[in-house]
Amino acid sequence: MNAPAASILVIDDEPDLRTLYELTLLREGYRVETASTVQEAREQLKSRLFDVVISDMRLPDGFGMEILQDLRDQQRRERCVVMTAYGSAENAVEALRAGAFDYLTKPVDLKQFRSVVASAIQGTGATPAPRAPRGGPAPRNQTADASTSALHSSLDRLVGDSEAMRNVKQRIAKVARGMAPVLVRGESGTGKELVAQALHACSQRAEGPCIAVNCGAIPENLLEAEFFGARKGSYTGATQDRDGYFQAARGGTLFLDEIGDLPLAMQSKLLRAIQERSVRPLGSTQEETVDVRIVSATHRDLAADVQAGRFRQDLYYRLNVIEIVIPPLRERREDLPALCATLLARIGQDSGMPVPRLTEQALQAIATHPLTGNVRELENVLHRAVALTEGDELQVEAFSSGSPTAQGSAHPAATSHALQTPHKAPYEPPSSMTTHAVAEQDGAGTAPLPNDLQAWLDQQERDILIRALKETGFNRTATAARLGISLRQIRYRIARLNIGVPNDQDFQDEIG
């Protein structure tokens, strides 16, 4: 039996616009009722149930937020889409935080209007008649079962049953169904991309693409073309039209990882794309409407970056409508057994070989590690243990001050404390080194001037970078923060100075 056509209530005090929205929705096959005031809307809602409510923010006898509040207080099923005037970004953010499914900016683009309504209808069990699948839409209970299955499957990938992780999973399940932008915060290696994938998998957009973008890995001069696309001939080497990330994620989710590394100039362009839901490809004079949900992630304190002028305040509020904070591994050590078992199973699957058995002694040895690199470091520890183990039981070296992850103390609690409190750098940057200091360092009364100053400076910088990398367990993000430079700068310097990766034998010889 086919599901009924979706029923929609449109609330707008302008007769012409109300009629336009009504006709547009009727052509799509929906059942439509209209109201021009808050009072009329309340009477309609009192008499029947709807699937979606579309309301203007400003009405003659009140505000659309009052309707949204009524729906939330009464725990009704209707999804609410609000319409705001151009430039009223604060109203849209406020509505999303109050529980609105999505928002539209006036003057409303009808193509975008239809797309937002279709997204709101998904998962309600109702269907517009002309667009029903050939075999008939799935019954409401079948749709719900599929949604529940996807929810459990995606959340199972977030390993751990600690209270902190249960809170994260509950928040994902709660906010995934809407369109509100989500900001995922957490230290490097905590699993921010897994959270973004779970948000996508639990949403109505699960069948659409989920495009992940590392904002810190794209050269600055290519950012606009990568994000918004480019037209043939717009720059040297552009031999054909190409889509950007926004176009590739159309109908799905765009995950912006390390959003804090985005340059200020690009931040303003990203803000406009998010607000207007349209992008202009490089070399084009026309804007293209895009339908994406934005999920962003960062290890940085964006609020502090806003205060320091490194991140736009308006973009911060636009991205941070809903925040999900992932706890570091040191705050959920009760999850270590489950994490180790899952990671070992993955290592065995990737290698195609059986892995040693995880024992209580191995878990105790792992627990001595500070794991400042979180799950990523834990995986590194397990990879090394599997490679060096002889026999059927996993052999793990206990943490010692000589290990790469040492931060000056072998005690995990001390290391954890060091991560949370500022500490003085154990060395000074080369710019502060005087000729006298160099002379003392060399053990001579006077230091000979270098024949090649640039090569000498490069060597000083290289030594400092290797030392900092060693102290942070080869964590580039932590090294950048330690030296007060950006992640992009640390990657550039590592490449320019030809510093090898941690498992490179030459690199090990240099730091050993």
Side-chain angles (χ1 to χ4, degrees), residues 233-261:
S234 57
Y235 59 89
T236 304
T239 57
Q240 60 184 6
D241 292 351
R242 59 185 291 265
D243 287 341
Y245 297 128
F246 270 87
Q247 291 93 335
R250 188 177 279 125
T253 303
L254 181 59
F255 173 51
L256 304 177
D257 196 10
E258 298 303 347
I259 189 70
D261 291 340

Side-chain angles (χ1 to χ4, degrees), residues 9 54 60 104 135 169 256 326 343 346 366 470 475:
L9 174 61
I54 304 171
L104 291 161
K169 294 176 184 180
L256 304 177
I326 310 176
L343 290 172
R346 183 192 304 170
I366 291 170
K470 181 179 177 181
N475 186 316

Side-chain angles (χ1 to χ4, degrees), residues 5-37:
S7 60
I8 300 174
L9 174 61
V10 177
I11 312 166
D12 199 305
D13 60 322
E14 298 183 48
D16 292 345
L17 289 177
R18 194 166 63 245
T19 301
L20 175 63
Y21 302 148
E22 182 181 10
L23 291 174
T24 301
L25 294 172
L26 287 171
R27 289 195 189 102
E28 294 294 300
Y30 301 113
R31 295 174 292 154
V32 185
E33 299 292 338
T34 62
S36 59
T37 65

Side-chain angles (χ1 to χ4, degrees), residues 196-197 200 205 208-212 248-249 252-255:
Q197 291 171 354
H200 174 74
R205 297 172 166 259
C210 181
I211 305 297
T253 303
L254 181 59
F255 173 51

